[in-house]
């Protein structure tokens, strides 16, 4: 079993906040756990028997946790991971017989469900590190790829599973994949639905780094800690600029860059960065 980053959070630390011990078993909060330590919010999918597949309730909890992290000034980085053999096997389709549908139901469900979750990750104002500990399939793959940085354990696999079920890719896959690997590679992954190992995912540019399973938690925590000591508002604006750049023309991108620089120069961290340069010392950023 892959080690989980939650083990790198010191549960004896009185500065750490967590709701895990305060929730009943088999609740949404037990299946999607959250703990904050040293300005890092750790979100852990914890349904290992179902490869961390998401029910609507768990999806809504994830959306709320990312929204909370985005708005909380005490949170400066986020790590998303899973327990067991799976990162996330996608949407849980074992809910029994489907109710009769009327036109518009499917589109509405996707818009308010999987697409909303992926958008919440993309729009989170804090950098998000995915620590992919195992299988990431369908919605689970796109959830990982929506994160800003992706670490993968050697045992991780990414699967565009939709074609195997006769489905069109959802959860933003047709938006995310071509931007990461180009349209031909995206079509290959989506047309065949083959499992892509961690090493091949790194080669294609889907992940930043592959590490041994035993090192995933430690590496994810190191990356998050480094981000959490950075200039948080500058990182948020940088994320926004990069995410928007692929949908912008040059003049729009340049205008957005100038506006972001103008906004960022009002922050304490920008002033600290400039002062530390002139004073020839290391900056101490407060995230404000």
């Amino acid at each position: 079993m892959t080690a989980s980053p939650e083990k790198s959070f010191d549960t004896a630390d009185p500065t750490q906040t967590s709701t895990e011990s305060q929730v009943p078993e088999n609740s949404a909060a037990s299946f999607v756990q959250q703990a904050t330590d040293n300005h890092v919010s750790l979100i852990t999918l914890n349904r290992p028997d179902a490869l961390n597949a998401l029910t609507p309730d768990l999806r809504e909890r994830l959306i709320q946790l990312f929204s909370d992290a985005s708005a909380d000034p005490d949170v400066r980085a986020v790590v998303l991971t899973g327990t067991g053999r799976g990162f996330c096997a996608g949407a849980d389709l074992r809910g029994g017989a489907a109710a009769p549908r009327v036109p518009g139901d499917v589109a509405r469900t996707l818009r308010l469900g999987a697409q909303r979750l992926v958008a919440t990750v993309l729009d989170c104002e804090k950098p998000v590190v995915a620590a992919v500990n195992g299988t990431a399939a369908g919605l689970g793959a796109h959830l990982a790829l929506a994160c800003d940085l992706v670490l993968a354990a050697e045992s991780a696999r990414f699967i565009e599973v939709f074609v195997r079920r006769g489905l069109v890719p959802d959860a933003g896959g047709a938006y995310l994949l071509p931007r990461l690997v180009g349209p031909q590679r995206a079509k290959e992954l989506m047309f065949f639905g083959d499992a892509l190992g961690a090493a091949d995912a790194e080669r294609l540019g889907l992940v930043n780094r592959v590490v041994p399973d035993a090192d995933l938690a430690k590496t994810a925590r190191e990356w998050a800690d480094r981000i959490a000591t950075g200039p948080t508002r500058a990182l948020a604006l940088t994320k926004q600029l990069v995410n928007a750049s692929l949908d912008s023309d040059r003049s729009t991108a340049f205008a957005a860059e100038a506006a972001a620089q103008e906004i960022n120069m009002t922050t304490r961290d920008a002033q600290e960065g400039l002062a530390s340069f002139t004073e020839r010392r290391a900056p101490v950023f407060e995230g404000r």
Side-chain angles (χ1 to χ4, degrees), residues 131-266:
V132 183
N133 55 293
T135 298
L139 165 61
H142 301 164
L143 179 60
L145 300 181
C147 296
D148 302 299
L149 300 172
V150 183
L151 289 167
E154 290 176 343
S155 63
R157 301 187 307 159
F158 298 82
I159 311 174
E160 289 296 318
V161 73
F162 302 95
V163 69
R164 300 185 186 182
R165 310 288 181 258
L167 301 175
V168 172
D170 61 28
Y175 174 86
L176 293 167
L177 270 178
R179 285 163 170 76
L180 292 168
V181 300
Q184 279 75 27
R185 289 291 191 184
K187 291 170 188 174
E188 179 184 346
L189 294 171
M190 290 177 165
F191 287 0
F192 295 118
D194 294 332
L196 187 69
D200 286 334
E202 182 182 31
R203 176 177 56 83
L204 292 178
L206 288 175
V207 306
N208 294 88
R209 187 178 301 174
V210 177
V211 298
D213 286 33
D215 293 342
L216 182 66
K218 175 176 176 289
T219 306
R221 185 61 205 237
E222 288 173 350
W223 283 29
D225 282 343
R226 184 173 178 182
I227 292 169
T229 61
T232 305
R233 297 310 306 162
L235 292 175
L237 290 165
T238 301
K239 172 176 178 173
Q240 185 180 71
L241 287 173
V242 173
N243 284 354
S245 67
L246 294 175
D247 300 317
S248 302
D249 57 34
R250 185 182 67 180
S251 61
T252 301
F254 278 22
E257 176 186 279
Q261 193 72 281
E262 180 77 25
I263 293 168
N264 188 65
M265 287 303 295
T266 67

Side-chain angles (χ1 to χ4, degrees), residues 88-164:
C88 177
D92 192 335
L93 302 178
R94 302 177 301 174
R101 294 193 182 106
V102 298
D105 276 355
V106 173
R108 186 182 308 107
T109 298
L110 286 176
R111 190 169 58 249
L112 299 179
Q115 290 178 353
R116 184 163 145 256
L117 171 58
V118 168
T120 301
V121 178
L122 290 170
D123 294 339
C124 180
E125 295 183 29
K126 311 302 166 58
V128 182
V129 179
V132 183
N133 55 293
T135 298
L139 165 61
H142 301 164
L143 179 60
L145 300 181
C147 296
D148 302 299
L149 300 172
V150 183
L151 289 167
E154 290 176 343
S155 63
R157 301 187 307 159
F158 298 82
I159 311 174
E160 289 296 318
V161 73
F162 302 95
V163 69
R164 300 185 186 182

Side-chain angles (χ1 to χ4, degrees), residues 13-180:
D13 185 349
T15 65
Q16 176 179 327
T17 61
S18 174
T19 58
E20 294 171 17
S21 62
Q22 304 168 7
V23 298
E25 188 177 359
N26 297 330
S27 68
S30 70
F31 289 137
V32 180
Q33 300 175 350
Q34 188 275 337
T36 301
D37 176 39
N38 198 29
H39 303 294
V40 177
S41 176
L42 176 75
I43 301 174
T44 305
L45 306 179
N46 187 39
R47 288 184 76 204
D49 57 325
L51 295 180
N52 298 315
L54 296 178
T55 64
D57 285 348
L58 304 187
R59 183 191 66 225
E60 290 303 308
R61 175 160 168 80
L62 268 179
I63 290 171
Q64 187 62 56
L65 290 174
F66 277 107
S67 297
D68 291 346
S70 185
D72 187 350
D74 192 52
V75 172
R76 298 171 67 180
V78 180
V79 173
L80 175 66
T81 193
T83 58
R85 297 181 297 109
F87 173 76
C88 177
D92 192 335
L93 302 178
R94 302 177 301 174
R101 294 193 182 106
V102 298
D105 276 355
V106 173
R108 186 182 308 107
T109 298
L110 286 176
R111 190 169 58 249
L112 299 179
Q115 290 178 353
R116 184 163 145 256
L117 171 58
V118 168
T120 301
V121 178
L122 290 170
D123 294 339
C124 180
E125 295 183 29
K126 311 302 166 58
V128 182
V129 179
V132 183
N133 55 293
T135 298
L139 165 61
H142 301 164
L143 179 60
L145 300 181
C147 296
D148 302 299
L149 300 172
V150 183
L151 289 167
E154 290 176 343
S155 63
R157 301 187 307 159
F158 298 82
I159 311 174
E160 289 296 318
V161 73
F162 302 95
V163 69
R164 300 185 186 182
R165 310 288 181 258
L167 301 175
V168 172
D170 61 28
Y175 174 86
L176 293 167
L177 270 178
R179 285 163 170 76
L180 292 168

